[in-house]
Amino acid sequence: GEATLLRKEMPLPFLFAALSLALNSTVNDRVRVLYESMDTAEDTSEGEETTTVVSGEQVTAMIAHLQNTCQLVPAAQVVETNSKVPYQTFRVGTGSELTKRAREGYGGKKGNA
């Protein structure tokens, strides 16, 4: 029940996603904070700038966290199913499906991985 849920360890990015709902800030500021929470800056030599690295798995997980906290508009989460007869059907996509679609673009053009 609820007591078991409270005892489970929550992933830090999920907590950041949930916390972002409480922030009185712009969408751009919240996205920046979420991005920075995923940032695993690589150490570089002294005098060089750090390289920002966010893996595809981190992005997929953050999208799932945003879905779980109801922060994505419904239209952005809809994916087609393979059922097209007698009409096309749709369902809510997973974090990995939404990431893949964003990288490919809605028109099927491949983006940067």
Side-chain angles (χ1 to χ4, degrees):
E2 187 176 334
T4 305
L5 179 64
L6 292 176
R7 279 186 254 149
K8 285 187 177 180
E9 188 173 309
M10 305 289 269
L12 189 58
F14 174 79
L15 296 174
F16 278 127
L19 177 64
S20 73
L21 284 171
L23 298 176
N24 185 20
S25 61
T26 66
V27 171
N28 287 340
D29 287 342
R30 292 195 321 249
V31 169
R32 182 184 47 75
V33 168
L34 292 174
Y35 179 78
E36 288 173 358
S37 76
M38 295 185 300
D39 178 16
T40 56
E42 294 183 350
D43 291 334
T44 58
S45 301
E46 194 173 314
E48 294 181 27
E49 292 186 24
T50 59
T51 304
T52 301
V53 177
V54 176
S55 72
E57 292 81 22
Q58 289 173 295
V59 173
T60 297
M62 184 56 75
I63 289 173
H65 297 324
L66 292 172
Q67 284 181 294
N68 292 335
T69 56
C70 301
Q71 295 187 61
L72 297 180
V73 294
Q77 302 179 61
V78 175
V79 294
E80 294 180 351
T81 65
N82 291 332
S83 176
K84 298 183 189 296
V85 178
Y87 52 86
Q88 177 67 57
T89 58
F90 302 88
R91 63 178 175 74
V92 175
T94 64
S96 61
E97 290 170 326
L98 298 180
T99 303
K100 181 180 180 221
R101 184 177 69 186
R103 286 183 172 165
E104 291 176 352
Y106 288 97
K109 183 180 175 185
K110 296 282 183 192
N112 292 335

